[in-house]
Each structure stands twice: as structure tokens, then as C-alpha cells.
């Protein structure tokens, strides 16, 4: 979502004449868009500000803006800790950035951290999305009302808020006109999307079904979804919708019901398995990926073993896994943390199981012909980059006319992260 937000911030500041530059030594303004989900991210921000400060030690400083969730969570603290920072602006206030930049005065610190999501969505509607990537993101929902005990999102992104249905379709049309062949619908809880107009409720399934009608659009994805919002209408999309990719990122966090309860996840392992079996029954080629957390306060060895068992049962083909990081203001921050070495050991064991699944999946594609959407040429190489239906990176020979097309590729080799192959048929797959 930060990638999407960063692009939209560029669209907004472009209205008052700012342009992107690679000239790090002569910029008028730096904007760092930040993530606060784990502690390391915050320190990275100060490190990056320090690096920029060194560049400008002997000349006029640029306007230094910190945007995103670290700005939201730390606000005044950041201005005090690092005087080189001029402006902090939260993720639901970035539509106000032009007013701040236009009125900027040296030595006048600015802070904007209101949850003003509706007026942000209004401004996004009025600001042309200039993204021209083959695979584009489109935010449909932001915020979270679920309050998992470990997570800062409800505090940094605010309550769940869905964008108006028609605005989303208008932005999708723009992206498609700009060359998007794949759209990933985004939200902190993307499948909680709900917008009511004229007594009709629109859900994420409504958006997916509508997007299916755009002939130039070839692929639809969404992320990140929550198990409790995997409603029947969304599951039904996997019956009817040919453009919805058979790959679902559905975070579970732990394979132990006890830990899920401690985390306030509001779903059980059985609910997750039920969703999995319903989807695989609809389409046996559907694959899952997930988010996992180890070392959550209260996670015992037997709980961790249940997570490992789940990973053996559902062959997740790609996942994110983290050690619990205590976040200020969350309920879990009051709990006693585990021995970090034990958490590290658990993470290593979990990841070795996840990587085994990942590499087995990649190997299973060797000598197969698969559909790949070609996204771009790889810089300084005579190779092209694309992705298969499961979002695996595919590296291949191609030419620039293939960008934006779905081609058939014979997979010859793989490593843990990528597949390598040759185009066998340039006729665009349906
Ligand atoms: N809303 C999604 C869900 O609940 O399924 C997840 C969104 S969250 C931004 C992305 C992931 O970051 C989570 O699934 C979780 O695994 C991880 N995460 C969140 N808070 C964390 C924390 N305090 N420590 C470690 N990992 C964390
Ligand atoms: Fe965070 Fe996701 Fe839980 Fe919301 S549902 S609190 S975003 S982990």
C-alpha cells in the first residue's frame, strides 16, 4: 500500500510543479514514506534522514517530509528527535501535502496526523492516477477495526473506510487506459470492503465481477485479506471469474487456536482450513500464501509445533514470517516478551519448512508451459521480467513488444525465488 500511496503522493505534488529526481544532491524536497509495522522500520527512517542530512551539510537543506505510519505514530517525537525533519504527515492526511509545501517556511515545523480518510479519497478521485505499469495497484479500502493485540495498523491507519465503488471503477479504467493488464486491489483488510449507495451494498466481489468485463484487463488480484471476511460471495468469484488469479494471500499468523485467541485474531485454525478446502474444491490449482508470527507472548513449544503442522498440511507456496515485535500502544506491548534467541530458532525452523514448500512448488513447474504476463525489461540485462498466475517472478528472453502480453513460457530452471524459461508461444493466452 505504501508503494501505491507513494505514487499517489507524486501525482498530488506534481500538481504544484514538483517532479521526481534522481539527483540526490540538489533536491528541493525529500519525502520518505514510512512503515511502522515492526520496530526496525522506524530506525531505518532515522538512518535514512541522517544520510540525507550528511549530503546537505554544506548547502541549503531540502524540505524534509516524513509521510506514512511512522509519522502518524511518532509525530512530535520525530520533530524533536531529528530537527532536520520539517514535516510529519500521516497516511490519512497526505492529500494536504500541497498546502503544506506551498506555505512552507524554514524553521516552522508542521504536523498533519488527522484520520481524514474520506477527504483523502475525495482528492484521490480528483487526481489523475499516472501509474503506467503493466501491473498496477489500486486501493479500495483502508484502515482496520479488528485490533489484533500485536498490531499498530488500527492506530496508524485508523478505522476501516471503503472508497466509493464508482471512484474505484473510474480509477481502474484510467489504469487500464495507461496500460495496466493486471490490477491488484489493495486494503489493510481488502475483503472487508463494503460501500453502500442507493440501498445497494457493494463488496469486493462486486468490484472483481465488474473488472472482469474490461477486455484489456487480463488479471485481477487482491491483498491483504482477512480470514473472517472470506465471505461466500467472494469465494463464489472463484467459480465464475476467469481473471481472478488462483493465488490467495491469506494471513493466519499461527497454527494454534490458543495463540490466535491470545492475539485476538477472531478466527480459528478450523475456519482457515474450511476456507482452504472450499476454494481448493472449486479449483484444485488454487494455491495459498500466508503471514506467520513466531514468539508471540504465550506461544509454547506445542503451539509452535501446530504452526509447523499447518505448514506441512497446506503447502503454502510463498509466505512472510516474522518474529513478534512489540509495538507501542498495542495490548501485546504490555506482555512479557520471549527470549529472542528462542524466537530466532523458531523463525529459522518455520522458514526452512516454508522455503521447502516454495522450492518444491517452483521445481514442479520445470518443463511445464505456463502463462506469464511480461511486465518489463530487466535493467542492464537482455532479459525480461514477468509473473505467472501464482505471482512467481519469471525471467526470460523476450522483446519489448512482449511487454504487457501474456505469453506461454516453458520453464527450464528455477531457484527459491524465481523461474527461468523460454517463450514457446506469443499468441496471447485468453
Ligand atoms: N490485515 C492483515 C491480516 O490481519 O491478515 C495483515 C496486515 S499486517 C500490516 C501484515 C503482517 O505484519 C501481519 O499479518 C503480521 O504477520 C505482521 N505483523 C503485524 N504486526 C506485527 C508485530 N507487532 N510483530 C511482528 N509482525 C507483525
Ligand atoms: Fe493488523 Fe490485520 Fe489484525 Fe488489522 S486484522 S489489526 S491490520 S493484523
Amino acid at each position: 500500500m505504501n508503494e501505491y500511496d507513494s505514487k499517489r503522493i507524486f501525482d498530488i505534488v506534481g500538481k504544484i510543479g514538483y517532479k521526481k529526481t534522481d539527483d540526490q544532491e540538489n533536491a528541493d524536497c525529500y519525502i520518505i514514506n514510512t512503515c511502522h509495522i515492526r520496530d526496525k522500520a522506524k530506525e531505518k527512517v532515522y538512518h535514512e534522514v541522517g544520510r540525507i542530512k550528511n549530503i546537505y551539510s554544506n548547502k541549503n537543506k531540502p524540505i524534509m517530509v516524513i509521510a506514512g505510519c511512522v509519522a502518524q505514530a511518532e509525530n512530535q517525537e520525530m520533530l524533536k528527535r531529528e530537527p532536520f525533519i520539517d514535516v510529519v504527515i500521516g497516511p490519512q492526511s497526505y492529500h494536504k501535502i500541497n498546502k503544506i509545501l506551498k506555505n512552507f517556511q524554514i524553521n516552522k515545523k508542521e504536523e498533519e496526523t488527522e484520520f481524514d480518510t474520506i477527504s483523502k479519497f475525495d482528492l484521490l478521485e480528483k487526481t489523475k492516477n499516472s501509474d503506467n505499469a503493466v501491473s498496477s495497484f489500486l486501493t479500495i479500502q483502508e484502515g482496520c477495526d479488528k485490533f489484533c493485540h500485536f498490531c499498530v495498523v488500527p492506530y496508524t491507519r485508523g478505522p476501516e473506510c471503503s472508497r466509493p465503488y464508482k471512484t474505484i471503477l473510474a480509477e481502474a479504467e484510467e489504469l487500464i487506459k495507461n496500460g495496466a493488464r493486471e490490477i491488484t486491489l489493495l486494503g489493510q483488510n481488502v475483503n472487508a470492503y463494503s460501500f453502500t449507495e442507493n440501498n445497494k451494498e457493494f463488496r469486493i466481489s462486486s468490484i472483481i465481477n465488474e473488472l472482469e468485463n474490461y477486455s484489456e484487463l487480463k488479471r485481477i488480484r487482491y491483498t491483504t485479506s482477512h480470514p473472517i471476511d472470506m465471505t461466500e460471495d467472494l469465494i463464489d468469484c472463484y467459480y465464475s471469474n476467469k481473471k481472478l488469479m488462483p493465488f490467495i494471500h491469506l494471513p493466519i499468523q499461527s497454527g494454534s487456536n490458543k495463540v490466535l485467541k491470545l492475539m485476538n485474531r477472531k478466527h480459528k485454525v478450523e475456519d482457515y482450513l474450511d476456507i482452504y478446502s472450499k476454494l481448493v474444491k472449486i479449483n484444485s490449482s488454487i494455491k495459498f500464501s500466508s503471514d506467520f508470527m513466531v514468539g508471540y507472548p504465550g506461544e509454547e513449544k506445542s503451539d509452535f509445533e501446530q504452526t509447523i503442522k499447518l505448514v506441512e498440511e497446506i503447502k503454502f507456496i510463498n509466505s512472510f514470517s516474522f518474529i513478534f515485535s512489540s509495538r507501542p500502544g498495542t495490548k501485546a506491548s504490555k506482555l512479557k516478551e520471549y527470549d529472542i534467541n528462542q524466537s530466532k530458532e523458531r523463525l529459522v525452523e518455520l522458514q526452512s519448512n516454508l522455503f521447502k514448500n516454495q522450492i518444491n512448488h517452483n521445481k514442479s513447474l520445470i518443463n511445464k508451459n505456463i502463462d506469464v504476463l511480461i511486465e518489463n525489461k530487466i535493467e542492464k540485462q537482455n532479459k525480461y521480467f514477468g509473473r505467472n498466475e501464482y505471482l512467481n517472478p519469471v525471467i526470460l528472453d523476450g522483446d519489448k513488444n512482449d511487454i504487457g502480453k501474456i505469453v506461454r513460457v516453458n520453464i527450464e530452471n528455477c531457484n527459491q525465488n524465481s523461474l527461468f524459461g523460454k517463450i514457446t508461444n506469443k499468441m496471447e493466452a485468453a
Side-chain angles (χ1 to χ4, degrees):
M1 185 170 282
N2 269 10
E3 203 177 315
Y4 174 85
D5 284 347
S6 300
K7 286 182 172 169
R8 300 315 317 267
I9 291 173
F10 274 121
D11 289 336
I12 294 170
V13 297
K15 287 179 166 185
I16 57 166
Y18 280 93
K19 291 197 181 82
K20 233 187 226 184
T21 178
D22 289 331
D23 183 358
Q24 299 227 7
E25 298 189 3
N26 293 295
D28 298 309
C29 175
Y30 266 83
I31 304 172
I32 304 185
N33 198 12
T34 61
C35 171
H36 197 239
I37 201 82
R38 281 167 294 278
D39 195 42
K40 263 192 197 155
K42 181 178 90 188
E43 288 312 315
K44 272 195 205 158
V45 178
Y46 286 111
H47 189 262
E48 183 63 8
V49 175
R51 192 186 67 80
I52 298 164
K53 195 163 121 181
N54 281 340
I55 301 177
Y56 289 86
S57 57
N58 293 320
K59 44 183 157 179
N60 282 349
K61 78 186 277 308
I63 307 175
M64 185 75 234
V65 181
I66 307 296
C69 290
V70 175
Q72 183 71 37
E74 299 275 307
N75 54 64
Q76 292 289 337
E77 266 316 297
M78 297 203 95
L79 299 173
K80 275 191 222 138
R81 175 168 160 185
E82 179 46 91
F84 193 75
I85 299 171
D86 300 300
V87 179
V88 287
I89 187 160
Q92 308 309 52
S93 305
Y94 68 67
H95 55 295
K96 297 177 187 159
I97 192 164
N98 284 356
K99 203 167 147 212
I100 295 176
L101 292 180
K102 277 199 291 193
N103 298 326
F104 181 75
Q105 292 166 15
I106 228 117
N107 297 330
K108 188 171 161 267
K109 305 282 167 188
E110 292 275 358
E111 180 219 326
E112 264 299 348
T113 47
E114 265 177 81
F115 288 136
D116 211 354
T117 316
I118 292 182
S119 59
K120 179 175 105 175
F121 286 166
D122 278 350
L123 188 88
L124 290 185
E125 185 186 349
K126 295 184 193 111
T127 309
K128 222 170 150 21
N129 187 330
S130 65
D131 190 7
N132 59 2
V134 167
S135 176
S136 288
F137 292 129
L138 172 47
T139 290
I140 65 166
Q141 177 277 349
E142 286 194 44
C144 179
D145 295 337
K146 298 192 169 59
F147 290 92
C148 299
H149 286 171
F150 52 79
C151 184
V152 285
V153 169
Y155 309 99
T156 55
R157 286 267 174 181
E160 279 175 12
C161 185
S162 294
R163 281 182 82 179
Y165 179 67
K166 284 189 188 133
T167 314
I168 293 167
L169 295 181
E171 192 170 325
E173 271 178 36
E174 220 165 74
L175 291 171
I176 295 166
K177 251 190 257 155
N178 294 353
R181 296 296 168 260
E182 172 175 280
I183 288 183
T184 303
L185 304 173
L186 294 180
Q188 268 84 37
N189 284 284
V190 73
N191 53 345
Y193 178 85
S194 167
F195 186 79
T196 302
E197 196 168 37
N198 298 332
N199 294 325
K200 184 170 185 281
E201 192 199 4
F202 296 94
R203 305 271 310 164
I204 188 173
S205 55
S206 329
I207 303 174
I208 292 170
N209 288 331
E210 191 57 40
L211 288 182
E212 167 101 348
N213 298 325
Y214 292 87
S215 60
E216 301 96 321
L217 187 69
K218 305 296 177 195
R219 291 178 168 183
I220 305 166
R221 304 181 187 274
Y222 58 90
T223 197
T224 297
S225 41
H226 191 287
I228 65 167
D229 293 312
M230 286 302 294
T231 47
E232 291 300 325
D233 55 318
L234 177 54
I235 292 178
D236 279 350
C237 287
Y238 289 88
Y239 273 117
S240 50
N241 195 301
K242 293 194 178 58
K243 295 180 180 173
L244 185 57
M245 291 293 98
F247 175 61
I248 301 157
H249 181 67
L250 190 63
I252 183 161
Q253 316 298 349
S254 167
S256 152
N257 281 335
K258 186 193 96 189
V259 174
L260 292 178
K261 191 148 186 240
L262 290 172
M263 290 175 165
N264 193 31
R265 279 294 288 182
K266 303 184 178 77
H267 61 81
K268 290 188 169 170
V269 175
E270 292 77 3
D271 302 323
Y272 195 94
L273 291 171
D274 188 43
I275 297 165
Y276 176 75
S277 62
K278 274 185 189 155
L279 284 165
V280 175
K281 211 184 261 174
I282 293 174
N283 176 357
S284 60
S285 68
I286 286 180
K287 307 273 182 214
F288 273 55
S289 77
S290 197
D291 289 348
F292 294 93
M293 194 186 299
V294 297
Y296 188 74
E299 181 193 73
E300 289 167 294
K301 190 162 183 281
S302 57
D303 298 308
F304 175 66
E305 282 165 359
Q306 290 176 59
T307 302
I308 296 290
K309 190 168 153 261
L310 183 81
V311 171
E312 280 163 6
E313 195 172 336
I314 298 185
K315 304 268 180 247
F316 298 98
I317 58 166
N318 171 11
S319 288
F320 301 101
S321 43
F322 315 100
I323 293 177
F324 165 69
S325 162
S326 179
R327 309 308 293 121
T330 60
K331 284 217 167 164
S333 67
K334 299 190 181 74
L335 305 173
K336 192 172 172 295
E337 273 183 70
Y338 268 11
D339 166 21
I340 186 70
N341 289 328
Q342 180 185 285
S343 298
K344 279 184 185 162
E345 273 171 30
R346 286 185 185 172
L347 187 69
V348 168
E349 185 180 342
L350 173 63
Q351 289 186 338
S352 98
N353 280 272
L354 289 168
F355 293 158
K356 212 167 23 182
N357 288 349
Q358 195 171 329
I359 192 89
N360 285 344
H361 164 74
N362 288 357
K363 279 185 181 160
S364 75
L365 297 175
I366 291 181
N367 295 329
K368 300 245 165 69
N369 289 326
I370 61 169
D371 288 349
V372 175
L373 172 61
I374 303 197
E375 293 186 22
N376 54 274
K377 183 177 176 296
I378 301 174
E379 248 180 73
K380 295 182 194 148
Q381 284 184 41
N382 206 14
K383 295 271 177 200
Y384 284 76
F385 173 92
R387 289 186 189 269
N388 67 355
E389 294 182 325
Y390 300 120
L391 217 54
N392 298 121
V394 185
I395 315 294
L396 39 82
D397 294 321
D399 76 57
K400 67 177 187 323
N401 297 322
D402 298 330
I403 294 174
K405 289 189 181 148
I406 294 182
V407 294
R408 289 241 107 187
V409 174
N410 183 262
I411 298 302
E412 297 172 330
N413 209 343
C414 73
N415 61 26
Q416 188 182 299
N417 296 317
S418 304
L419 305 166
F420 304 90
K422 277 212 171 75
I423 297 179
T424 57
N425 188 349
K426 289 200 177 187
M427 291 293 289
E428 211 165 335

